[in-house]
Amino acid sequence: MKRPGPLLTLLAGLLLAVFMLTLNATTGTKNASSSSQESSPSATPSATPQASPPPTGAPPSSSPPPPSRSAPPNADYAGRTDDNSSAVAVSLRGGKAIAYFCDGRSKESWLKGDVKDDGTMKLTGKNGAELNGTLKDGSSIRGTVDLGGQRYAFTADKAVKPSGLYRATATVRGAKLDGGWIVLPGGKQVGILDRDGKPAAAPTIDPESGTVTVDGQTLTASPVTP
């Protein structure tokens, strides 16, 4: 029997070469497909959307504070009660007030207190006397005076000197004198002079100088402020 010759050897080598080429071709196709899928945009997983950070800057605006009020301006006021029986004068300084109620014969009262920023006031005096008033646009005070069990409504208009409120205290011939005067717009005066606790109509003062003669002695009545 003859051994396989060179022809068989050549054929075996040829078959091996064909097998290797076929294997390489198959592997190359798979590798190319995988590479194509990896590089394709459609194969890339979509990114998870990120939440936007909260905006930075000024804090939320709030309602502006109400405008602050200022104390009522310094001024003097004088007027009469609605029944025309008495006069009332009020002096305002730095949020404080002093007032004088007088009927020009025997009834009088000095009252003091604070004035609120809105122009309202509650002033008090001896024996339970009380004045409640409201400043109207800085031009007048409208209110009431409670005295001796009676209530007197009044309006006091802004006074320009010499109108306003005056007072004088002194001791003359051993008697203690305490006088109060209200000079109304127009010049009319209403006042009481108290001698040792006994009230009576006050003599007229000179509103320009404040001088007044009492029992032959000259006194000076000064403008009254809180």
Side-chain angles (χ1 to χ4, degrees):
M1 183 175 182
K2 294 182 179 181
R3 291 186 176 182
L7 181 59
L8 291 179
T9 302
L10 180 61
L11 180 59
L14 180 60
L15 290 175
L16 179 60
V18 171
F19 174 76
M20 294 300 294
L21 287 174
T22 303
L23 180 61
N24 288 339
T26 304
T27 303
T29 301
K30 289 182 178 181
N31 290 340
S33 175
S34 298
S35 176
S36 176
Q37 289 179 358
E38 290 176 359
S39 61
S40 174
S42 61
T44 303
S46 58
T48 303
Q50 299 294 324
S52 300
T56 59
S61 60
S62 57
S63 300
S68 58
R69 294 172 178 261
S70 57
N74 298 341
D76 299 310
Y77 300 84
R80 300 192 67 91
T81 57
D82 290 358
D83 61 7
N84 205 36
S85 66
S86 307
V88 178
V90 183
S91 177
L92 307 183
R93 296 292 187 279
K96 302 288 185 179
I98 185 169
Y100 183 53
F101 172 93
C102 174
D103 69 355
R105 297 180 299 277
S106 60
K107 190 177 294 186
E108 66 174 346
S109 181
W110 292 93
L111 309 102
K112 296 180 179 180
D114 297 328
V115 183
K116 295 182 179 180
D117 291 349
D118 62 1
T120 59
M121 64 193 78
K122 180 178 181 180
L123 315 182
T124 57
K126 293 181 179 179
N127 303 317
E130 186 174 296
L131 182 152
N132 289 279
T134 302
L135 184 61
K136 302 291 186 180
D137 300 325
S139 61
S140 65
I141 296 175
R142 178 65 181 170
T144 59
V145 173
D146 293 290
L147 180 65
Q150 289 185 272
R151 174 167 291 182
Y152 303 85
F154 73 91
T155 299
D157 296 323
K158 192 171 185 179
V160 179
K161 289 186 176 181
S163 298
L165 178 58
Y166 298 83
R167 190 174 192 176
T169 57
T171 299
V172 178
R173 297 178 183 178
K176 293 182 179 180
L177 306 180
D178 187 359
W181 290 265
I182 297 173
V183 179
L184 298 166
K188 187 174 181 179
Q189 298 182 21
V190 181
I192 286 179
L193 180 66
D194 187 291
R195 285 184 176 87
D196 288 333
K198 296 179 180 179
T204 301
I205 65 171
D206 179 355
E208 296 295 340
S209 62
T211 58
V212 58
T213 301
V214 178
D215 297 338
Q217 184 169 334
T218 301
L219 307 179
T220 299
S222 302
V224 179
T225 57

